[in-house]
Coordinates of all heavy atoms in Angstrom, one line a residue:
M1 N 0.9 -1.2 0.1 CA 0.0 0.0 0.0 C 0.9 1.2 0.0 O 2.0 1.3 0.6 CB -0.9 0.0 1.2 CG -2.0 1.1 1.2 SD -2.9 1.1 2.8 CE -1.9 2.4 3.6
S2 N 0.4 2.2 -0.7 CA 1.2 3.5 -0.7 C 1.3 4.1 0.7 O 0.3 4.2 1.5 CB 0.5 4.4 -1.7 OG 1.1 5.8 -1.5
Q3 N 2.4 4.7 1.0 CA 2.6 5.4 2.2 C 1.9 6.7 2.2 O 1.7 7.4 3.2 CB 4.1 5.6 2.5 CG 5.0 4.5 2.7 CD 4.8 3.8 4.0 OE1 4.7 4.5 4.9 NE2 4.9 2.5 4.0
C4 N 1.6 7.2 1.1 CA 1.0 8.5 0.9 C -0.3 8.8 1.6 O -0.6 9.8 2.2 CB 0.7 8.8 -0.7 SG 2.3 8.9 -1.6
Q5 N -1.1 7.7 1.8 CA -2.4 7.7 2.5 C -2.2 8.0 3.9 O -3.2 8.4 4.6 CB -3.3 6.4 2.2 CG -3.8 6.4 0.8 CD -3.9 5.0 0.3 OE1 -3.0 4.4 -0.1 NE2 -5.1 4.6 0.1
T6 N -1.1 7.7 4.4 CA -0.9 7.9 5.8 C 0.1 9.1 6.0 O 0.8 9.3 7.2 CB -0.4 6.8 6.6 OG1 0.8 6.3 6.1 CG2 -1.5 5.8 6.8
C7 N 0.4 9.9 5.0 CA 1.4 10.9 5.0 C 0.8 12.3 4.7 O 0.4 13.0 5.5 CB 2.5 10.5 4.0 SG 3.9 11.7 4.1
G8 N 0.9 12.7 3.4 CA 0.5 14.0 3.0 C 1.4 15.2 3.2 O 1.1 16.2 3.0
A9 N 2.7 14.8 3.6 CA 3.7 15.8 4.0 C 4.0 16.8 2.8 O 4.1 17.9 2.9 CB 5.0 15.1 4.5
C10 N 4.1 16.2 1.6 CA 4.5 17.0 0.5 C 3.4 18.0 0.1 O 3.6 19.0 -0.5 CB 4.9 16.1 -0.8 SG 3.6 15.0 -1.4
C11 N 2.1 17.7 0.5 CA 1.0 18.6 0.2 C 1.0 19.7 1.2 O 0.2 20.6 1.1 CB -0.3 17.8 0.3 SG -0.3 16.3 -0.7
A12 N 1.9 19.6 2.2 CA 1.9 20.7 3.3 C 3.4 21.1 3.5 O 3.9 21.3 4.6 CB 1.4 20.1 4.6
A13 N 4.2 21.1 2.3 CA 5.6 21.5 2.5 C 6.1 22.3 1.3 O 7.1 23.1 1.5 CB 6.4 20.2 2.5
Y14 N 5.4 22.3 0.2 CA 5.9 23.0 -1.0 C 4.9 23.9 -1.7 O 3.7 23.6 -1.5 CB 6.4 21.9 -2.0 CG 7.5 21.0 -1.6 CD1 7.3 19.6 -1.6 CD2 8.7 21.5 -1.2 CE1 8.3 18.7 -1.2 CE2 9.7 20.7 -0.8 CZ 9.5 19.3 -0.7 OH 10.5 18.5 -0.2
R15 N 5.4 24.9 -2.3 CA 4.5 25.7 -3.3 C 4.2 24.7 -4.4 O 5.0 24.4 -5.1 CB 5.2 26.9 -3.8 CG 5.4 28.0 -2.8 CD 5.6 29.3 -3.5 NE 5.7 30.4 -2.5 CZ 6.7 31.2 -2.3 NH1 7.9 31.1 -3.0 NH2 6.6 32.2 -1.5
V16 N 3.0 24.6 -4.6 CA 2.5 23.7 -5.8 C 2.0 24.6 -7.0 O 1.0 25.1 -7.0 CB 1.4 22.8 -5.4 CG1 0.9 21.8 -6.5 CG2 1.8 21.9 -4.2
Q17 N 3.1 24.9 -7.8 CA 2.8 25.8 -9.0 C 2.9 25.0 -10.3 O 3.7 24.2 -10.4 CB 3.9 26.9 -8.9 CG 3.8 27.7 -7.5 CD 4.6 29.0 -7.6 OE1 4.5 29.7 -6.5 NE2 5.5 29.2 -8.6
F18 N 2.1 25.5 -11.2 CA 2.0 24.8 -12.5 C 1.4 25.8 -13.5 O 1.0 27.0 -13.1 CB 1.2 23.7 -12.4 CG -0.2 23.7 -11.6 CD1 -1.3 24.0 -12.4 CD2 -0.2 23.8 -10.3 CE1 -2.5 24.3 -11.8 CE2 -1.3 24.0 -9.6 CZ -2.6 24.3 -10.4
S19 N 1.4 25.3 -14.8 CA 1.0 26.2 -15.9 C -0.5 26.4 -15.9 O -1.3 25.5 -15.5 CB 1.5 25.5 -17.2 OG 0.6 25.9 -18.3
V20 N -0.9 27.6 -16.2 CA -2.3 27.9 -16.3 C -3.0 26.9 -17.2 O -4.3 26.8 -17.2 CB -2.6 29.4 -16.6 CG1 -2.1 30.2 -15.5 CG2 -2.0 29.7 -17.9
Y21 N -2.3 26.4 -18.2 CA -2.9 25.5 -19.2 C -3.4 24.2 -18.5 O -4.1 23.3 -19.1 CB -2.1 25.2 -20.3 CG -2.0 26.5 -21.2 CD1 -0.8 27.2 -21.0 CD2 -3.0 27.0 -21.9 CE1 -0.7 28.4 -21.8 CE2 -2.8 28.2 -22.6 CZ -1.7 28.8 -22.6 OH -1.5 30.1 -23.3
E22 N -3.1 23.9 -17.3 CA -3.6 22.7 -16.5 C -5.0 23.0 -15.9 O -5.6 22.2 -15.3 CB -2.6 22.3 -15.4 CG -1.3 21.7 -16.0 CD -0.6 20.8 -15.0 OE1 -1.2 19.8 -14.5 OE2 0.5 21.2 -14.6
L23 N -5.4 24.3 -15.9 CA -6.6 24.6 -15.3 C -7.8 24.2 -16.1 O -7.8 24.2 -17.4 CB -6.7 26.2 -15.1 CG -5.6 26.8 -14.0 CD1 -5.7 28.3 -14.1 CD2 -5.9 26.2 -12.7
D24 N -8.9 23.9 -15.4 CA -10.1 23.4 -16.1 C -10.7 24.5 -17.1 O -11.4 24.1 -18.1 CB -11.2 22.8 -15.3 CG -11.7 23.8 -14.2 OD1 -11.3 24.9 -14.0 OD2 -12.5 23.2 -13.4
D25 N -10.6 25.7 -16.8 CA -11.1 26.7 -17.7 C -10.2 27.0 -18.8 O -10.4 28.0 -19.6 CB -11.5 28.0 -16.9 CG -10.3 28.7 -16.3 OD1 -9.3 28.2 -16.3 OD2 -10.6 29.8 -15.8
M26 N -9.0 26.4 -18.8 CA -8.1 26.6 -19.9 C -7.9 25.3 -20.7 O -6.8 25.2 -21.4 CB -6.7 27.0 -19.4 CG -6.8 28.4 -18.7 SD -6.8 29.8 -19.7 CE -5.1 29.9 -20.2
G27 N -8.7 24.3 -20.6 CA -8.6 23.1 -21.3 C -8.0 22.0 -20.6 O -7.8 20.8 -20.9
G28 N -7.6 22.2 -19.3 CA -6.9 21.2 -18.4 C -7.9 20.6 -17.5 O -9.2 20.6 -17.8
A29 N -7.4 20.1 -16.4 CA -8.4 19.4 -15.4 C -8.5 20.0 -14.1 O -9.4 19.7 -13.4 CB -7.8 17.9 -15.3
V30 N -7.4 20.7 -13.7 CA -7.5 21.2 -12.2 C -8.6 22.3 -12.1 O -8.5 23.3 -12.8 CB -6.1 21.8 -11.9 CG1 -5.9 22.3 -10.5 CG2 -4.9 20.9 -12.2
P31 N -9.4 22.1 -11.0 CA -10.4 23.1 -10.8 C -9.8 24.4 -10.4 O -9.2 24.6 -9.5 CB -11.2 22.5 -9.5 CG -10.9 21.0 -9.6 CD -9.5 20.9 -10.1
V32 N -10.2 25.4 -11.3 CA -9.6 26.7 -11.1 C -9.9 27.3 -9.8 O -9.2 28.1 -9.2 CB -10.0 27.7 -12.2 CG1 -11.6 27.9 -12.4 CG2 -9.2 28.9 -12.3
T33 N -11.1 27.0 -9.3 CA -11.5 27.6 -8.0 C -10.7 27.2 -6.8 O -10.7 27.9 -5.8 CB -13.0 27.0 -7.5 OG1 -13.0 25.6 -7.7 CG2 -14.0 27.7 -8.5
L34 N -9.8 26.2 -6.9 CA -8.9 25.7 -5.9 C -7.5 26.3 -6.1 O -6.5 26.0 -5.3 CB -8.9 24.3 -5.7 CG -10.1 23.5 -5.5 CD1 -9.9 21.9 -5.4 CD2 -10.8 24.0 -4.3
T35 N -7.4 27.2 -7.0 CA -6.1 27.8 -7.4 C -6.1 29.3 -7.2 O -7.0 30.0 -7.0 CB -5.6 27.4 -8.7 OG1 -6.5 28.1 -9.6 CG2 -5.7 25.9 -9.0
E36 N -4.8 29.8 -7.2 CA -4.7 31.3 -7.2 C -3.7 31.6 -8.2 O -2.9 30.8 -8.6 CB -4.3 31.9 -5.8 CG -2.9 31.3 -5.3 CD -2.9 31.6 -3.8 OE1 -3.7 31.9 -3.2 OE2 -1.6 31.2 -3.3
T37 N -3.7 32.9 -8.8 CA -2.8 33.3 -9.9 C -1.4 33.7 -9.2 O -1.4 34.3 -8.2 CB -3.4 34.5 -10.6 OG1 -4.7 34.2 -11.1 CG2 -2.5 35.0 -11.6
V38 N -0.4 33.2 -9.9 CA 0.9 33.7 -9.6 C 1.4 34.8 -10.6 O 1.8 35.9 -10.2 CB 2.0 32.5 -9.7 CG1 3.4 33.0 -9.4 CG2 1.6 31.5 -8.5
N39 N 1.3 34.5 -11.9 CA 1.5 35.5 -12.9 C 0.7 35.0 -14.1 O -0.2 34.2 -14.1 CB 2.9 35.7 -13.2 CG 3.6 34.5 -13.6 OD1 3.1 33.6 -14.3 ND2 4.9 34.1 -13.0
G40 N 0.9 35.6 -15.2 CA 0.1 35.3 -16.4 C 0.1 33.9 -16.9 O -0.8 33.4 -17.6
S41 N 1.3 33.3 -16.6 CA 1.3 31.9 -17.2 C 1.5 30.9 -16.0 O 1.4 29.6 -16.4 CB 2.6 31.8 -18.0 OG 3.8 32.2 -17.1
T42 N 1.5 31.2 -14.8 CA 1.6 30.3 -13.6 C 0.6 30.5 -12.6 O 0.2 31.7 -12.3 CB 3.0 30.4 -13.0 OG1 4.0 30.3 -14.0 CG2 3.3 29.3 -12.0
C43 N 0.1 29.4 -12.1 CA -0.8 29.5 -10.9 C -0.4 28.5 -9.9 O 0.6 27.8 -10.1 CB -2.2 29.2 -11.4 SG -2.4 27.6 -12.1
R44 N -1.1 28.4 -8.8 CA -0.7 27.5 -7.7 C -1.9 27.1 -6.9 O -2.9 27.8 -6.9 CB 0.4 28.0 -6.8 CG 0.0 29.1 -5.9 CD 1.1 29.6 -4.9 NE 0.8 30.8 -4.5 CZ 1.6 31.9 -4.5 NH1 2.8 31.8 -5.1 NH2 1.4 33.1 -4.1
M45 N -1.8 25.9 -6.3 CA -2.8 25.5 -5.4 C -3.0 26.4 -4.2 O -1.9 26.8 -3.7 CB -2.6 24.1 -4.9 CG -2.6 22.9 -5.9 SD -4.2 22.9 -7.0 CE -5.2 22.5 -5.7
R46 N -4.3 26.8 -3.9 CA -4.4 27.6 -2.8 C -4.0 27.0 -1.5 O -4.1 25.8 -1.4 CB -5.9 28.0 -2.7 CG -6.3 29.2 -3.5 CD -7.8 29.5 -3.5 NE -8.5 29.2 -2.3 CZ -9.6 28.6 -2.3 NH1 -10.4 28.5 -3.4 NH2 -10.4 28.4 -1.2
G47 N -3.3 27.8 -0.6 CA -2.9 27.2 0.6 C -1.4 26.9 0.5 O -0.8 26.7 1.6
T48 N -0.9 26.8 -0.7 CA 0.6 26.4 -0.7 C 1.5 27.7 -0.9 O 2.8 27.5 -1.0 CB 0.9 25.4 -1.8 OG1 0.6 26.0 -3.2 CG2 -0.1 24.3 -1.8
G49 N 0.9 28.8 -0.9 CA 1.8 30.1 -1.1 C 1.8 30.8 0.2 O 2.2 32.0 0.3
E50 N 1.3 30.1 1.3 CA 1.4 30.8 2.6 C 2.0 30.0 3.6 O 2.1 28.7 3.4 CB -0.1 31.3 3.0 CG -1.0 30.1 3.1 CD -2.4 30.4 2.7 OE1 -2.8 31.1 1.6 OE2 -3.3 30.2 3.5
V51 N 2.2 30.5 4.8 CA 2.8 29.7 5.9 C 1.8 29.6 7.1 O 1.3 30.7 7.4 CB 4.2 30.3 6.5 CG1 4.6 29.5 7.5 CG2 5.2 30.3 5.3
P52 N 1.4 28.5 7.7 CA 2.0 27.2 7.3 C 1.4 26.7 6.0 O 0.1 26.9 5.7 CB 1.5 26.2 8.4 CG 0.4 27.0 8.9 CD 0.6 28.4 8.8
I53 N 2.2 26.0 5.1 CA 1.8 25.6 3.8 C 0.9 24.4 4.1 O 1.1 23.4 4.9 CB 2.9 25.1 2.9 CG1 3.9 26.3 2.7 CG2 2.5 24.4 1.8 CD1 5.2 25.9 2.0
R54 N -0.3 24.5 3.4 CA -1.2 23.3 3.4 C -2.1 23.5 2.1 O -3.0 24.4 2.1 CB -2.1 23.1 4.7 CG -2.9 22.0 4.7 CD -3.8 21.8 5.9 NE -4.7 20.8 5.6 CZ -4.7 19.5 6.3 NH1 -3.8 19.1 7.0 NH2 -5.7 18.7 5.9
C55 N -2.1 22.5 1.2 CA -2.9 22.7 0.1 C -4.3 22.5 0.5 O -4.9 21.7 1.3 CB -2.5 21.5 -0.9 SG -3.6 21.5 -2.4
V56 N -5.2 23.4 -0.2 CA -6.6 23.4 0.1 C -7.3 22.1 -0.2 O -8.4 21.8 0.3 CB -7.3 24.7 -0.6 CG1 -7.2 24.4 -2.1 CG2 -8.7 24.9 -0.1
A57 N -6.7 21.3 -1.0 CA -7.4 20.2 -1.5 C -7.1 18.9 -0.5 O -7.6 17.8 -0.7 CB -7.0 19.7 -2.9
L58 N -6.2 19.0 0.4 CA -5.7 18.0 1.3 C -6.8 18.0 2.5 O -7.2 19.0 3.1 CB -4.4 18.4 1.8 CG -3.8 17.2 2.7 CD1 -3.4 16.0 1.8 CD2 -2.6 17.7 3.4
S59 N -7.3 16.8 2.7 CA -8.1 16.7 4.0 C -7.5 15.6 4.8 O -6.7 14.8 4.4 CB -9.5 16.2 3.6 OG -9.5 15.0 2.9
G60 N -7.8 15.7 6.1 CA -7.2 14.7 7.1 C -6.0 15.4 7.8 O -5.8 16.5 7.8
S61 N -5.2 14.4 8.4 CA -4.1 15.0 9.3 C -2.8 14.4 8.7 O -2.7 13.2 8.6 CB -4.3 14.4 10.7 OG -5.4 14.8 11.3
V62 N -1.9 15.3 8.5 CA -0.6 14.9 7.9 C 0.1 13.9 8.9 O 0.2 14.1 10.2 CB 0.4 16.2 7.7 CG1 1.7 15.7 7.4 CG2 -0.2 17.0 6.6
G63 N 0.6 12.8 8.4 CA 1.2 11.7 9.2 C 0.2 10.7 9.8 O 0.8 9.8 10.5
T64 N -1.0 10.9 9.6 CA -2.0 10.0 10.2 C -2.8 9.4 9.0 O -2.7 8.2 8.8 CB -2.9 10.7 11.2 OG1 -2.0 11.4 12.1 CG2 -3.7 9.7 11.9
G65 N -3.7 10.2 8.4 CA -4.6 9.8 7.3 C -5.0 10.9 6.5 O -5.5 11.9 7.1
V66 N -4.7 10.9 5.3 CA -5.0 12.0 4.4 C -5.7 11.6 3.0 O -5.5 10.5 2.7 CB -3.8 12.9 4.0 CG1 -3.3 13.6 5.2 CG2 -2.8 12.0 3.5
S67 N -6.3 12.5 2.4 CA -6.7 12.3 1.1 C -6.7 13.5 0.2 O -6.8 14.7 0.9 CB -8.1 11.6 0.9 OG -9.0 12.5 1.5
C68 N -6.6 13.5 -1.0 CA -6.6 14.6 -2.0 C -8.0 14.7 -2.6 O -8.4 13.7 -3.3 CB -5.5 14.5 -2.9 SG -5.7 15.7 -4.3
A69 N -8.6 15.8 -2.5 CA -10.1 16.0 -3.0 C -10.0 16.0 -4.5 O -11.1 15.6 -5.1 CB -10.6 17.2 -2.5
I70 N -8.9 16.1 -5.1 CA -8.9 16.2 -6.7 C -7.9 15.3 -7.1 O -7.2 15.5 -8.1 CB -8.6 17.7 -7.1 CG1 -7.4 18.2 -6.5 CG2 -9.7 18.5 -6.8 CD1 -6.8 19.4 -7.4
Y71 N -7.7 14.1 -6.5 CA -6.5 13.2 -6.9 C -6.4 12.9 -8.3 O -5.4 13.0 -8.9 CB -6.8 11.8 -6.0 CG -5.6 10.9 -6.2 CD1 -4.4 11.2 -5.5 CD2 -5.6 9.8 -7.0 CE1 -3.3 10.4 -5.6 CE2 -4.5 9.1 -7.2 CZ -3.4 9.3 -6.5 OH -2.3 8.6 -6.6
A72 N -7.6 12.6 -8.9 CA -7.6 12.3 -10.3 C -7.4 13.5 -11.3 O -6.9 13.4 -12.4 CB -8.8 11.6 -10.8
L73 N -7.5 14.6 -10.7 CA -7.4 15.9 -11.4 C -6.1 16.7 -11.0 O -6.0 17.9 -11.4 CB -8.6 16.7 -11.3 CG -10.0 16.0 -11.4 CD1 -11.1 17.0 -11.1 CD2 -10.1 15.6 -12.9
R74 N -5.3 16.1 -10.1 CA -4.2 17.0 -9.5 C -3.2 17.4 -10.5 O -3.0 16.7 -11.6 CB -3.7 16.3 -8.4 CG -2.9 15.0 -8.7 CD -2.8 14.1 -7.5 NE -1.8 13.0 -7.6 CZ -1.9 11.9 -8.4 NH1 -2.9 11.8 -9.2 NH2 -1.0 11.0 -8.5
P75 N -2.6 18.5 -10.3 CA -1.6 19.0 -11.3 C -0.3 18.3 -11.4 O 0.0 17.4 -10.5 CB -1.4 20.5 -10.8 CG -1.6 20.5 -9.3 CD -2.7 19.4 -9.1
R76 N 0.5 18.6 -12.4 CA 1.7 17.9 -12.6 C 2.7 17.8 -11.5 O 3.3 16.8 -11.3 CB 2.4 18.6 -13.8 CG 3.6 17.8 -14.4 CD 4.1 18.5 -15.6 NE 3.2 18.4 -16.7 CZ 3.6 18.4 -18.0 NH1 4.8 18.2 -18.3 NH2 2.7 18.4 -18.9
P77 N 2.9 18.9 -10.7 CA 3.9 18.7 -9.6 C 3.5 17.6 -8.6 O 4.4 16.9 -8.1 CB 3.9 20.1 -8.9 CG 3.3 21.0 -9.8 CD 2.4 20.3 -10.8
C78 N 2.2 17.4 -8.5 CA 1.7 16.3 -7.6 C 1.9 15.0 -8.2 O 2.3 14.0 -7.5 CB 0.3 16.5 -7.3 SG -0.1 18.1 -6.7
T79 N 1.6 14.8 -9.5 CA 1.9 13.6 -10.2 C 3.3 13.2 -10.3 O 3.7 12.0 -10.4 CB 1.2 13.4 -11.6 OG1 1.7 14.5 -12.4 CG2 -0.3 13.7 -11.5
E80 N 4.2 14.2 -10.4 CA 5.6 13.9 -10.7 C 6.3 13.6 -9.3 O 7.4 13.1 -9.4 CB 6.2 15.1 -11.3 CG 5.8 15.2 -12.8 CD 6.5 16.2 -13.6 OE1 7.0 17.2 -12.9 OE2 6.5 16.2 -14.9
L81 N 5.9 14.0 -8.2 CA 6.6 13.8 -6.9 C 6.5 12.3 -6.5 O 5.5 11.8 -6.3 CB 6.0 14.7 -5.9 CG 7.0 15.1 -4.8 CD1 6.7 16.3 -4.0 CD2 7.1 13.9 -3.7
Q82 N 7.6 11.7 -6.6 CA 7.7 10.3 -6.4 C 7.8 10.0 -4.9 O 8.7 10.5 -4.3 CB 8.9 9.7 -7.2 CG 8.8 9.8 -8.6 CD 7.9 8.8 -9.3 OE1 7.8 7.6 -9.0 NE2 6.9 9.3 -10.2
E83 N 7.0 8.9 -4.5 CA 7.2 8.4 -3.2 C 8.6 7.9 -3.1 O 9.0 7.1 -3.9 CB 6.1 7.3 -3.1 CG 5.8 7.0 -1.7 CD 4.7 5.8 -1.6 OE1 4.1 5.5 -2.7 OE2 4.6 5.1 -0.6
G84 N 9.3 8.2 -1.9 CA 10.6 7.8 -1.7 C 11.7 8.6 -2.4 O 13.0 8.4 -2.2
S85 N 11.3 9.7 -3.1 CA 12.3 10.6 -3.7 C 12.9 11.5 -2.6 O 12.5 11.6 -1.5 CB 11.6 11.4 -4.8 OG 10.7 12.3 -4.2
H86 N 13.9 12.4 -3.1 CA 14.5 13.2 -2.2 C 13.5 14.3 -1.7 O 13.4 14.6 -0.4 CB 15.7 14.0 -2.9 CG 16.3 14.9 -2.1 ND1 17.1 14.7 -0.9 CD2 16.3 16.4 -2.2 CE1 17.5 15.8 -0.5 NE2 17.1 16.8 -1.1
A87 N 12.7 14.8 -2.6 CA 11.7 15.8 -2.2 C 10.6 15.2 -1.4 O 10.1 15.9 -0.4 CB 11.0 16.3 -3.5
C88 N 10.3 14.0 -1.5 CA 9.3 13.3 -0.7 C 10.0 13.2 0.8 O 9.3 13.6 1.8 CB 9.1 11.8 -1.2 SG 8.3 10.7 0.0
N89 N 11.1 12.7 0.9 CA 11.8 12.5 2.2 C 12.1 13.9 2.9 O 12.0 13.9 4.1 CB 13.0 11.7 2.1 CG 12.6 10.2 1.9 OD1 11.6 9.8 2.5 ND2 13.5 9.5 1.2
K90 N 12.3 15.0 2.2 CA 12.5 16.3 2.6 C 11.2 16.8 3.3 O 11.1 17.4 4.4 CB 13.1 17.2 1.6 CG 14.0 18.2 2.1 CD 14.6 19.0 0.9 CE 14.2 20.4 0.9 NZ 14.7 21.2 -0.3
A91 N 10.2 16.4 2.6 CA 8.8 16.9 3.0 C 8.5 16.1 4.3 O 8.0 16.7 5.4 CB 7.7 16.7 2.1
R92 N 8.8 14.9 4.3 CA 8.4 14.1 5.5 C 9.3 14.4 6.8 O 8.8 14.4 7.9 CB 8.7 12.6 5.1 CG 7.7 12.0 4.2 CD 8.0 10.5 3.8 NE 8.2 9.6 4.9 CZ 7.1 8.9 5.6 NH1 5.8 9.1 5.0 NH2 7.3 8.2 6.6
Q93 N 10.6 14.8 6.5 CA 11.4 15.2 7.6 C 10.9 16.6 8.2 O 10.8 16.7 9.4 CB 12.8 15.5 7.0 CG 13.8 15.8 8.1 CD 15.1 16.1 7.4 OE1 15.4 16.5 6.4 NE2 16.2 15.7 8.1
R94 N 10.3 17.4 7.4 CA 9.8 18.7 7.9 C 8.6 18.4 8.9 O 8.3 19.2 9.6 CB 9.3 19.6 6.7 CG 10.4 20.4 6.0 CD 9.7 21.3 5.1 NE 10.6 21.7 4.1 CZ 10.3 22.5 3.1 NH1 9.1 23.0 3.0 NH2 11.3 22.8 2.1
H95 N 7.9 17.2 8.5 CA 6.8 17.0 9.5 C 7.1 16.0 10.5 O 6.3 15.3 11.0 CB 5.6 16.6 8.5 CG 5.0 17.7 7.8 ND1 4.1 18.4 8.3 CD2 5.2 18.2 6.6 CE1 3.7 19.3 7.5 NE2 4.4 19.3 6.4
G96 N 8.4 15.6 10.7 CA 8.8 14.7 11.7 C 8.6 13.2 11.3 O 8.5 12.5 12.3
L97 N 8.5 12.9 10.0 CA 8.2 11.6 9.6 C 9.4 10.9 9.2 O 10.4 11.6 8.6 CB 7.2 11.5 8.5 CG 5.8 12.1 8.9 CD1 4.9 12.4 7.7 CD2 5.1 11.2 9.9
P98 N 9.7 9.6 9.4 CA 10.9 9.0 8.9 C 10.9 8.9 7.4 O 9.9 8.9 6.9 CB 10.8 7.6 9.6 CG 9.3 7.4 9.8 CD 8.7 8.7 10.1
P99 N 12.2 8.9 6.9 CA 12.4 8.7 5.5 C 11.9 7.4 4.9 O 11.9 6.4 5.7 CB 13.9 8.9 5.3 CG 14.5 8.6 6.5 CD 13.5 8.9 7.7
L100 N 11.4 7.4 3.8 CA 11.2 6.2 3.0 C 12.4 5.7 2.3 O 13.3 6.4 1.9 CB 10.0 6.3 2.1 CG 8.7 6.9 2.7 CD1 7.7 7.0 1.6 CD2 8.2 6.0 3.7
D101 N 12.5 4.4 1.9 CA 13.6 3.9 1.1 C 13.6 4.7 -0.3 O 12.5 4.9 -0.9 CB 13.5 2.5 1.0 CG 13.8 1.6 2.2 OD1 14.4 2.2 3.1 OD2 13.4 0.5 2.2
E102 N 14.9 5.0 -0.7 CA 14.9 5.6 -2.0 C 14.5 4.6 -3.0 O 14.9 3.4 -2.8 CB 16.4 6.1 -2.3 CG 16.9 7.1 -1.4 CD 16.4 8.5 -1.8 OE1 15.8 8.7 -3.0 OE2 16.5 9.5 -1.0
R103 N 13.8 5.0 -4.0 CA 13.4 4.1 -5.1 C 14.6 4.0 -6.1 O 15.3 5.0 -6.2 CB 12.2 4.6 -5.8 CG 11.0 4.5 -5.0 CD 10.5 3.1 -4.8 NE 9.6 3.0 -3.7 CZ 8.3 2.9 -3.8 NH1 7.8 3.1 -4.9 NH2 7.6 2.8 -2.7
P104 N 14.8 2.8 -6.7 CA 15.9 2.8 -7.7 C 15.7 3.7 -8.8 O 14.6 4.1 -9.1 CB 15.8 1.4 -8.2 CG 14.5 0.8 -7.7 CD 14.1 1.6 -6.6
E105 N 16.8 4.3 -9.3 CA 16.7 5.2 -10.4 C 16.2 4.4 -11.6 O 16.5 3.3 -11.8 CB 18.2 5.7 -10.7 CG 18.9 6.5 -9.7 CD 18.2 7.8 -9.5 OE1 17.7 8.4 -10.5 OE2 18.2 8.4 -8.3
H106 N 15.5 5.1 -12.5 CA 15.0 4.5 -13.7 C 15.0 5.5 -14.8 O 15.3 6.7 -14.7 CB 13.6 3.8 -13.5 CG 12.7 4.8 -12.8 ND1 12.3 4.6 -11.6 CD2 12.1 5.9 -13.2 CE1 11.4 5.5 -11.2 NE2 11.3 6.4 -12.2
Ligands
LIG201 S1 5.8 13.1 1.1 FE1 6.1 11.2 0.0 S2 5.0 9.5 1.2 FE2 4.2 11.6 1.8 S3 2.4 11.9 0.6 FE3 4.2 12.9 -0.4 S4 5.0 11.4 -1.8 FE4 3.6 10.3 -0.4
LIG202 S1 -3.6 18.8 -5.2 FE1 -3.8 17.0 -4.0 S2 -1.9 15.9 -4.3 FE2 -1.5 18.0 -4.9 S3 -0.7 19.1 -3.2 FE3 -2.9 19.4 -3.1 S4 -3.7 17.8 -1.9 FE4 -1.6 17.2 -2.5

């Protein structure tokens, strides 16, 4: 089972920024109502541009049990962040969670 369901640290550690072309009103999938504008070409998930960082789409408690309200529609930074990667373990460390084994390079 994925560790992500009991984690969520990366959804509460980084600015989640991506192209406006990923927004549902621009032909993409991400609900525009859950985002805010960064500039003309970039937007981000609401809640990830402030401190403490926590994406508006995240529900539950980090490190215990979480879910993403837009999992199937989530933007590229979320689909690209690999479980067990450096960015994953850095986020987990920030939330006092132990590192996961590094996945083999591919
Ligand atoms: S920090 Fe890693 S384990 Fe936690 S939710 Fe993100 S990818 Fe999954
Ligand atoms: S959109 Fe979902 S996966 Fe991406 S940061 Fe927000 S809660 Fe996490």
Side-chain angles (χ1 to χ4, degrees):
M1 190 187 90
S2 167
Q3 298 283 324
C4 298
Q5 286 148 289
T6 55
C7 179
C10 58
C11 311
Y14 299 121
R15 283 195 177 125
V16 180
Q17 299 193 171
F18 50 94
S19 164
V20 293
Y21 292 107
E22 288 202 62
L23 295 173
D24 57 1
D25 67 347
M26 294 285 279
V30 183
V32 65
T33 51
L34 300 183
T35 68
E36 59 195 11
T37 301
V38 175
N39 58 43
S41 59
T42 307
C43 58
R44 72 176 155 238
M45 293 305 298
R46 273 175 31 217
T48 69
E50 57 209 56
V51 178
I53 295 171
R54 184 182 165 109
C55 178
V56 70
L58 187 71
S59 60
S61 300
V62 172
T64 307
V66 290
S67 64
C68 169
I70 58 162
Y71 188 78
L73 309 174
R74 68 202 192 286
R76 189 177 297 213
C78 309
T79 58
E80 286 184 344
L81 203 153
Q82 296 284 313
E83 198 178 345
S85 66
H86 178 69
C88 163
N89 282 329
K90 212 167 115 187
R92 288 176 59 87
Q93 186 180 31
R94 281 192 203 175
H95 286 273
L97 298 167
L100 302 179
D101 287 342
E102 295 280 348
R103 293 291 160 97
E105 296 290 332
H106 48 250

